[in-house]
Amino acid sequence: MNQSLIEFRQVSKFYGRGEATIRALDRVDLSISAGEFVSIMGPSGSGKSTCMNVIGGLDVPSSGDYLFQGIPTADFSRTQLTLLRRHMLGFVFQGFNLLARTSAVENVELPLVYRGVSARERRKLAHKALEQVGLKGREGHTTQELSGGQQQRVAIARAIVTDPAVLLADEPTGNLDTKTSREIMELISRLNRDRGITVIMVTHEEDIAAYGKRLLRFVDGRLAGDEIRVKEPDHVL
């Protein structure tokens, strides 16, 4: 039997105290296997972003258990959570979060700096990652010299340069036009299909969510729906 890569067991997350307490997650059970492409949707305040933050080790449950590769994370220290993010997870955000006036290749190298990878190896791996996202020849361009779609490709290259087990994408097309959004989603789909990277993506757009093979819907902090997609949407390559 395949062990879950990511598992929530009655995970809850509270913010505030007393009458001001907000229950962002309410006794959520879920299981995600290696190689899945999971989309997460829900209205504002539904808990989808909190779910993503817990998976990414950016937040910890108030109660319940979060297991990564079968290992409970409840007793992880801050250092251990940092190592989980550094070695197992890649992050892509709506706002790109690139360093301004810094070249594409230098932005992509950054996670490898934290790993202590040598300068020569960093440059080699960063060039390879940029080529994989279709930016060969633009390695020396600064953020200001790239379009929004190109900046997101740099962000994706930065996320995959460490060869993560999981790619966490939070509204990855939120700042992009329709055509560019499709290009970015086709890129993410290929990374999932060809490299076997597990993708977990938060989005508020139904057409973007359709790229996932599974859809989780959150309402009021609870997992209200878990749908498996059978047929690939026509726009997915």
Side-chain angles (χ1 to χ4, degrees), residues 119-147:
R120 172 181 283 186
E121 185 67 10
R122 287 200 309 265
R123 188 55 52 100
K124 175 184 174 182
L125 292 172
H127 275 268
K128 180 180 178 181
L130 286 166
E131 182 176 357
Q132 289 174 330
V133 301
L135 287 180
K136 185 175 181 179
R138 290 183 170 82
E139 296 88 349
H141 287 57
T142 66
T143 300
Q144 297 166 323
E145 297 171 326
L146 299 172
S147 67

Side-chain angles (χ1 to χ4, degrees), residues 75-91:
D75 296 328
F76 278 18
S77 65
R78 288 187 178 180
T79 298
Q80 288 172 312
L81 286 173
T82 298
L83 290 174
L84 173 66
R85 293 191 296 270
R86 186 176 298 171
H87 292 277
M88 302 301 294
L89 309 175
F91 295 86

